[in-house]
């Protein structure tokens, strides 16, 4: 039963199966509001909660969120520490409800290189929700798209020395193994680039950029992006069937 309010004209029978979001603009939002960047990220975490709930309510199969890239370590120490703390706070406050809502959490990225507390919290969230069958929630933390592909290729070579590699051999060794590729990739904050996010999986994704800053993004904006997606004609390199 559909419980979420509808703000845009979207066809619930033709939803994107997998939506991925590059959550950008927390820093600019903080600047606009004359607050510390950490508060921008904290407010962005509220958006994250709303968008997860909304995606689950609408009936999206998979939602991927880019929270922390391998390049983000280069940010000022205080900002990196604030983001690391937000990861702990987010899972501490949300994991019960997410599990109850049948959400299955997968972390995209190298957990082993994270501080031990973050690593353990993320591992535990994955373990606890492994059998859940609702929304597939992928959170990219310490993630890089080229590294993901490189790791997959290296794993294949280790397991199959001397053998020729196929696309399927790569796909099944990515963090998203077994999941559909993203149909729609949304970027907030107005930039128009992928920033090393889902380099392999995005080959045929529809791309949507909105100037709305991530802390200001809401359920209605998500629905507007889905409505725009539903107006696109997807060809996957072929021609359109009439
Ligand atoms: C980009 O904004 C956003 C990030 C680098 C972090 C996104 C993380 C969250 C929204 C929350 C933390 C994650 C979890 C899982 C709790 P920016 O600072 O680059 O914005 P700017 O381009 O305006 O400077």
């Amino acid at each position: 039963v559909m419980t979420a309010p509808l703000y845009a004209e979207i066809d619930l029978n033709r939803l994107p199966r997998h939506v991925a979001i590059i959550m950008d603009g927390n820093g600019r939002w903080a600047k606009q509001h004359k607050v510390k960047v950490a508060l921008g990220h904290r407010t962005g975490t509220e958006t994250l909660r709303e968008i997860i709930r909304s995606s689950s309510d609408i009936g999206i199969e998979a939602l991927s969120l880019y929270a922390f890239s391998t390049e983000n370590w280069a940010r000022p120490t205080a900002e990196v520490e604030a983001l690391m703390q937000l990861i702990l706070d987010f899972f501490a406050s949300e994991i019960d409800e997410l599990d109850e809502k049948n959400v299955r959490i997968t972390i995209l990225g190298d957990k082993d290189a994270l501080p031990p507390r973050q690593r353990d919290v993320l591992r535990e969230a994955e373990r606890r929700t492994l059998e859940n069958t609702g929304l597939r929630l992928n959170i990219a933390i310490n993630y890089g798209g080229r590294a993901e592909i490189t790791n997959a290729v290296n794993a294949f070579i280790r397991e199959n020395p001397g053998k020729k590699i196929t696309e399927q051999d790569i796909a099944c060794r990515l963090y998203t193994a077994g999941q559909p590729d993203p149909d729609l990739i949304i970027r907030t904050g107005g930039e128009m680039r992928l920033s090393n996010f889902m380099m392999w999986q995005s080959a045929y994704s529809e791309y949507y950029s909105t100037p709305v800053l991530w802390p200001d993004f809401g359920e209605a904006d998500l629905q507007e992006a889905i409505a725009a997606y539903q107006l696109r004609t997807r060809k996957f390199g072929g021609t359109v069937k009439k």
Side-chain angles (χ1 to χ4, degrees), residues 148-149 151-157 159-160 165-178:
E148 180 185 32
I149 298 169
N151 291 340
V153 173
N154 279 326
F156 175 85
I157 294 170
E159 295 155 28
N160 306 277
I165 193 165
T166 67
E167 292 188 7
Q168 195 45 43
D169 292 327
I170 294 177
C172 73
R173 287 172 179 81
L174 301 177
Y175 295 116
T176 50

Side-chain angles (χ1 to χ4, degrees), residues 32-141:
Q32 272 180 13
H33 290 76
K34 299 189 167 51
V35 295
K36 292 210 169 98
V37 64
L39 186 56
H41 292 313
R42 182 166 290 280
T43 311
T45 306
E46 294 306 311
T47 304
L48 191 103
R49 296 175 48 183
E50 177 178 342
I51 295 306
I52 294 168
R53 180 184 44 71
S54 172
S55 302
S56 164
D57 288 352
I58 294 176
I60 302 276
E61 248 178 80
L63 175 68
S64 296
L65 301 164
Y66 201 4
F68 194 90
S69 75
T70 46
E71 288 71 38
N72 286 150
W73 295 109
R75 293 194 177 205
T77 314
E79 183 177 355
V80 171
E81 280 175 1
L83 284 165
M84 288 298 133
Q85 186 59 43
L86 279 177
I87 291 171
L88 296 181
D89 295 349
F90 174 81
F91 283 95
S93 72
E94 302 304 309
I95 188 67
D96 288 345
E97 189 184 330
L98 291 171
D99 190 24
E100 208 162 286
K101 280 200 160 166
N102 202 20
V103 172
R104 177 172 168 191
I105 296 165
T106 300
I107 304 302
L108 316 180
D110 183 6
K111 293 188 289 290
D112 293 335
L114 288 169
R117 281 192 302 164
Q118 281 73 9
R119 184 196 61 209
D120 293 346
V121 161
L122 298 176
R123 276 194 192 146
E124 172 57 17
E126 287 185 315
R127 189 206 58 76
R128 178 167 164 188
T129 62
L130 190 63
E131 308 282 320
N132 289 352
T133 55
L135 176 72
R136 291 283 316 242
L137 174 62
N138 304 311
I139 305 185
I141 297 176

